[in-house]
Amino acid sequence: MNSYPRPLAKLIAELSRLPGIGGKTAQRLAFHIVSMSDEEAFSMADAITVAKKELVYCSVCGNLTDSDPCAICSDPSRDRSVVCVVETPKDVAAIERMKEFRGLYHVLHGVISPMDGVGPDDINLRSLIVRLQGSGEVSEIIVATNPNIEGEATAMYAAGLIRPSGIRVTRIAHGIPVGGDLDYTDDETLSRAITGRRDL
Amino acid sequence: MNSYPRPLAKLIAELSRLPGIGGKTAQRLAFHIVSMSDEEAFSMADAITVAKKELVYCSVCGNLTDSDPCAICSDPSRDRSVVCVVETPKDVAAIERMKEFRGLYHVLHGVISPMDGVGPDDINLRSLIVRLQGSGEVSEIIVATNPNIEGEATAMYAAGLIRPSGIRVTRIAHGIPVGGDLDYTDDETLSRAITGRRDL
């Protein structure tokens, strides 16, 4: 790689620090960036700087935002009685894309994972309890952490913290995805699908 | 996607203009960039700006460089009697990584491709002829364009232009790659391997 001129080698090194971008891909992207017009390249560099400078975490829900409180928390048309608890801002975006949920969010920025040394105080969970105590409007918490060991443990822990306040705590349904095939579904998912069966 | 704050949406849009980066990957990369430290993110933005500002094409060989003429063209230890003609600066890097070729390069920045409306004058080929006429030191041109229809056509065309000057024009060998398997080799490659056979 030492045959590259220094600015190109530096750009390749920077790009290969991105997740899922290996040396070969970083090289391809770097050559593409150099071949772009000045305007396009500077616009990309600018987008990185601006995003990093302007985006903050919402002081209410912890979502990524360029205005605090975020657009969702400050939207008067949202249903303030339901709060959906998710792991990351990406999950908020996924649920928002669906355009069906009209409640608020709370972003944990992680899950409880003793194996990785992440305890309940290392995620944005206490602030949810403080938020619930302060508002009095919330009647339901939907825990939408991922259906894996850490996500389940976090859901259980959060439910234990919230229940004493009398607020209803629900968990999103796990089962066979729409369009899925029973025959190809793993045992655990199938077991959840049967346990979570509903009256027709 | 409209649920993203504006600076994040802009960053995702910019990243998804890169080749091979779809919407989902751009989103993942954007979230990663936002989660990086200020220093790391600004360093990445800076690398893009600096690479775009400082890199130019060498006025002799057409390779990407931060100093004109490039490090290879201005290296007195290189063999000035051999010039290797390649399609892109990436090809120069590939050959340099091998650390065996000690001659100079000439980067065409493309291949002749009538289907795409690219003629001989749209690539950096005339400058090679001018370069050869001007120097008088060159005794061999190795044409290392890719072994596909456009690459072959470009090689033939270049050879036709150069031969009248009496300079030897060679083509890199095509055949079975080292570690390859005869049984899995396509007919055209096998045919080239047999035509290009050498005495043991």
Side-chain angles (χ1 to χ4, degrees):
Chain A
M1 294 282 185
N2 52 7
S3 64
Y4 287 127
R6 213 189 44 74
L8 186 60
K10 172 95 168 83
L11 179 57
I12 294 173
E14 288 289 342
L15 292 173
S16 55
R17 287 161 63 179
L18 291 171
I21 306 289
K24 205 76 183 173
T25 307
Q27 187 183 318
R28 192 165 47 82
L29 295 180
F31 273 106
H32 179 84
I33 288 172
V34 171
S35 74
M36 293 192 305
S37 71
D38 275 13
E39 196 187 9
E40 287 173 323
F42 297 156
S43 158
M44 181 170 296
D46 194 50
I48 293 176
T49 313
V50 169
K52 191 61 205 164
K53 274 189 188 154
E54 295 189 1
L55 291 174
V56 292
Y57 294 118
C58 172
S59 58
V60 179
C61 72
N63 192 14
L64 263 184
T65 176
D66 55 346
S67 59
D68 188 22
C70 74
I72 296 172
C73 286
S74 54
D75 180 348
S77 76
R78 309 283 303 207
D79 178 0
R80 280 161 199 282
S81 68
V82 188
V83 173
C84 181
V85 176
V86 294
E87 293 181 20
T88 67
K90 251 185 275 195
D91 299 329
V92 172
I95 298 176
E96 283 299 289
R97 264 202 300 280
M98 184 183 61
K99 294 188 199 302
E100 273 186 31
F101 179 72
R102 296 298 302 159
L104 303 178
Y105 293 94
H106 196 85
V107 183
L108 296 180
H109 292 288
V111 274
I112 298 171
S113 171
M115 294 278 279
D116 302 315
V118 181
D121 292 330
D122 299 318
I123 61 175
N124 191 27
L125 187 54
R126 295 281 156 196
S127 69
L128 173 63
I129 308 304
V130 174
R131 183 178 167 190
L132 294 180
Q133 284 163 348
S135 99
E137 306 174 298
V138 181
S139 61
E140 181 178 355
I141 299 284
I142 303 173
V143 185
T145 52
N146 284 322
N148 49 33
I149 296 176
E150 291 82 9
E152 291 296 327
T154 308
M156 289 301 155
Y157 188 88
L161 283 182
I162 301 162
R163 262 196 218 99
S165 62
I167 295 168
R168 183 182 173 205
V169 186
T170 55
R171 182 91 175 97
I172 49 165
H174 300 320
I176 299 165
V178 177
D181 192 321
L182 223 82
D183 194 26
Y184 286 95
T185 305
D186 63 286
D187 292 357
E188 183 61 24
T189 303
L190 201 54
S191 155
R192 298 281 193 101
I194 290 176
T195 312
R197 68 190 181 279
R198 299 176 62 179
D199 291 313
L200 274 178
Chain B
M1 295 281 186
N2 52 4
S3 64
Y4 287 127
R6 213 190 43 75
L8 186 60
K10 172 94 168 86
L11 180 56
I12 294 172
E14 288 288 343
L15 291 173
S16 55
R17 287 162 61 179
L18 292 171
I21 306 289
K24 206 77 183 169
T25 306
Q27 187 185 317
R28 191 165 48 81
L29 295 180
F31 274 106
H32 179 85
I33 288 171
V34 171
S35 74
M36 294 193 305
S37 71
D38 275 12
E39 196 188 8
E40 286 173 324
F42 296 156
S43 157
M44 182 172 295
D46 194 51
I48 293 175
T49 312
V50 169
K52 190 62 206 166
K53 273 189 189 155
E54 294 189 0
L55 291 173
V56 293
Y57 294 117
C58 172
S59 58
V60 179
C61 72
N63 192 15
L64 264 184
T65 176
D66 55 347
S67 60
D68 188 21
C70 73
I72 296 171
C73 285
S74 53
D75 180 349
S77 76
R78 308 282 306 205
D79 178 359
R80 279 158 201 284
S81 68
V82 188
V83 173
C84 182
V85 177
V86 295
E87 292 182 19
T88 67
K90 253 185 275 195
D91 299 329
V92 173
I95 298 177
E96 283 297 289
R97 266 202 299 280
M98 183 184 64
K99 294 188 199 301
E100 274 187 28
F101 180 71
R102 296 297 303 158
L104 302 179
Y105 293 93
H106 196 85
V107 183
L108 296 179
H109 291 289
V111 275
I112 297 170
S113 171
M115 294 277 280
D116 303 314
V118 181
D121 291 329
D122 299 318
I123 61 175
N124 191 26
L125 187 55
R126 295 280 156 197
S127 68
L128 173 63
I129 309 304
V130 174
R131 183 177 167 191
L132 294 179
Q133 284 163 347
S135 99
E137 304 175 299
V138 182
S139 61
E140 180 177 357
I141 299 282
I142 304 173
V143 185
T145 51
N146 285 322
N148 50 33
I149 295 174
E150 292 82 10
E152 291 296 327
T154 308
M156 289 302 155
Y157 188 87
L161 282 183
I162 301 161
R163 260 194 219 103
S165 61
I167 295 168
R168 183 182 173 204
V169 186
T170 56
R171 181 91 175 98
I172 48 166
H174 301 318
I176 300 165
V178 177
D181 192 321
L182 221 82
D183 194 25
Y184 286 93
T185 305
D186 63 287
D187 293 355
E188 183 61 25
T189 303
L190 202 54
S191 155
R192 297 281 194 100
I194 290 176
T195 313
R197 69 190 179 280
R198 299 175 60 179
D199 290 312
L200 273 178

